[in-house]
Amino acid sequence: MTELHEVQITEEKPLLLPPSQPVPGKKHSVETPYGLVAFTVHGTPKPKRPAILTYHDVGLNHQSCFETLFHFEDMQEIVKNFVVVHVDAPGMEEGAPLFPLGYQYPSLDQLADMIPCILQYLNFTSIIGIGVGAGAYILARYSLSHPDTVEGLVLINIDPNAKGWMDWAAHKLSGLTSSIPEMILAHLFSQEELSGCTELVQQYREALVSAPNLSNIQLYWSSYNTRRDLNFERGGDVTLKCPVMLVVGDQAPHEDAVVECNSKLDPTQTSFLKMADSGGQPQLTQPGKLTEAFKYFVQGMGYIPYVLDRKLSMSGLLLHDAPVALPHRLAVQRSLRGREPVPLPHPIPEQRVGEPPAAATAGPGERSPNHGGLLLSRGGGGDGDASRL
């Protein structure tokens, strides 16, 4: 009889693989009339769909500004339907060489004029733009000069105004008493975050202080502070003609500027999202809530017929509609085949701040769809009309 021996088997590959990491993008650069610009492309172009193009704020690059948001699981479910282009302002990309002394850095207007070179290089015809701070200004400026190529804009912390004399004097005085990293941190984060010295603030302070391209960052910062006024005018010729979602954190340093911007844009095209407990960088601190808002924004443009995620209860997100009913606009989508209007499986219930959810008012035996709605305001200019998450 053969004797049995105990044999220990070591498995080389684990049965349960770790969650898949986002596929690294392909890095490109293109020469423009104002210098070289680098960008990273994720995914492949989708027929009859725009590219999602991002532009970061001062003191950041596309990774430090957008990686948290775009690596968020539910955001990946959205962007897999699009090709994504992350633009780095000149000299801001990782490993960027330092510009020589006396280098004339492009103005924000000129940075906006680099975008057509990127789209031509990639053979893309239209975009949905997502910009933060200086990047939001750049995308807005680009949209004013190339409205036919922009299908939608998400503008976080945008300040469309040029600095006035008082702002200029305060900036100069601050430059005498504060270092460049501290001035940029005050631009990026709320006073509460800075006073509390949060982990996020410490992380970004260390990154700025030790940045090998700090002199390049200072040039981008200088261009931002010498920006021109966008001269938005509600009902006038100078306005954004595409759907726009304005986003700002409650008590963020740019809260007043975004509120003013909202008052100057077309109320039927503009949604204003004010996010509580998000500080100065909502895409970093509240990626989940921003993802939910972006889902509805893209759905309202008709590119994803039924984008609601079963995992999201939408609790805490309310719908504050415009004079032209937003629930109806969100419920009617263009089909992906022929772009004909097609209804969603369920209507999105209207829900106003202070009223009970639709599910709470359903009659016996009735079941209201758990869509919840989205806190987006339209049609107003004051802070009272702002949506809060």
Side-chain angles (χ1 to χ4, degrees):
M1 182 175 180
T2 307
E3 185 178 353
L4 297 177
H5 298 279
E6 183 178 348
V7 179
Q8 185 174 359
I9 300 175
T10 302
E11 188 178 11
E12 293 184 358
K13 295 183 179 180
L15 293 175
L16 296 176
L17 297 175
S20 58
Q21 296 298 316
V23 178
K26 296 182 179 179
K27 298 183 183 298
H28 303 265
S29 61
V30 63
E31 191 66 48
T32 77
Y34 307 105
L36 197 69
V37 61
F39 50 95
T40 305
V41 180
H42 293 262
T44 56
K46 306 299 189 292
K48 297 183 179 180
R49 293 198 177 194
I52 294 176
L53 185 143
T54 73
Y55 216 116
H56 62 88
D57 202 354
V58 175
L60 310 173
N61 57 27
H62 85 267
Q63 291 166 308
S64 57
C65 189
F66 292 109
E67 198 170 71
T68 300
L69 176 63
F70 279 81
H71 283 191
F72 193 74
E73 182 181 358
D74 294 314
M75 188 64 167
Q76 290 184 49
E77 286 299 309
I78 302 174
V79 299
K80 72 180 183 182
N81 297 284
F82 301 88
V83 60
V84 179
V85 182
H86 293 298
V87 180
D88 283 307
M92 304 302 124
E93 69 275 13
E94 283 192 350
L98 298 182
F99 293 119
L101 191 64
Y103 176 78
Q104 183 63 49
Y105 197 82
S107 66
L108 295 197
D109 291 10
Q110 291 170 335
L111 292 176
D113 289 339
M114 290 180 170
I115 295 176
C117 300
I118 297 173
L119 299 185
Q120 184 178 8
Y121 175 88
L122 296 171
N123 198 28
F124 294 165
T125 56
S126 62
I127 65 168
I128 297 172
I130 305 178
V132 180
Y137 178 102
I138 290 166
L139 290 179
R141 174 65 71 185
Y142 170 76
S143 183
L144 290 176
S145 55
H146 300 83
D148 294 339
T149 66
V150 182
E151 300 200 21
L153 287 174
V154 177
L155 304 177
I156 304 170
N157 296 338
I158 185 171
D159 187 344
N161 303 316
K163 280 188 175 293
W165 283 107
M166 293 296 291
D167 295 322
W168 180 85
H171 175 72
K172 287 295 183 183
L173 183 61
S174 178
L176 295 175
T177 58
S178 303
S179 65
I180 293 297
E182 291 302 321
M183 292 169 66
I184 293 175
L185 286 171
H187 162 79
L188 294 174
F189 296 103
S190 68
Q191 194 58 48
E192 183 180 358
E193 290 172 294
L194 294 172
S195 300
C197 201
T198 65
E199 183 179 345
L200 188 65
V201 169
Q202 292 182 55
Q203 176 187 342
Y204 280 76
R205 175 179 282 116
E206 291 171 5
L208 275 171
V209 170
S210 61
N213 64 334
L214 183 58
S215 60
N216 292 358
I217 295 172
Q218 185 173 354
L219 293 174
Y220 187 20
W221 173 240
S222 183
S223 284
Y224 176 70
N225 286 306
T226 54
R227 65 190 179 276
R228 294 193 301 144
D229 200 311
L230 288 176
N231 292 314
F232 288 146
E233 183 183 358
R234 178 171 288 187
D237 294 331
V238 182
T239 190
L240 299 175
K241 303 186 185 302
C242 63
V244 178
M245 182 166 72
L246 299 176
V247 182
V248 71
D250 210 2
Q251 306 302 318
H254 306 287
E255 182 180 357
D256 291 343
V258 180
V259 169
E260 182 181 350
C261 183
N262 180 55
S263 71
K264 294 180 178 180
L265 296 178
D266 182 353
T268 66
Q269 290 277 69
T270 307
S271 302
F272 182 17
L273 186 65
K274 184 180 287 187
M275 302 182 68
D277 304 320
S278 65
Q281 299 293 308
Q283 81 283 2
L284 298 177
T285 57
Q286 297 282 2
K289 289 183 178 180
L290 189 53
T291 294
E292 289 177 284
F294 186 62
K295 281 188 176 186
Y296 274 97
F297 183 71
V298 174
Q299 185 186 30
M301 295 170 62
Y303 283 111
I304 305 179
Y306 189 57
V307 77
L308 291 174
D309 193 323
R310 289 191 183 95
K311 293 183 294 182
L312 299 176
S313 67
M314 299 300 292
S315 58
L317 301 182
L318 307 177
L319 180 69
H320 188 61
D321 63 84
V324 181
L326 179 60
H328 176 72
R329 283 204 297 271
L330 288 177
V332 179
Q333 306 299 321
R334 294 171 291 179
S335 73
L336 297 182
R337 295 186 301 275
R339 300 289 183 91
E340 310 90 356
V342 293
L344 287 176
H346 301 286
I348 299 176
E350 177 181 345
Q351 186 174 326
R352 291 187 180 275
V353 176
E355 292 183 359
T361 58
E366 296 179 6
R367 185 179 177 215
S368 297
N370 191 25
H371 292 172
L374 178 64
L375 188 58
L376 293 175
S377 75
R378 292 170 182 255
D383 181 60
D385 298 307
S387 305
R388 286 184 172 81
L389 289 182

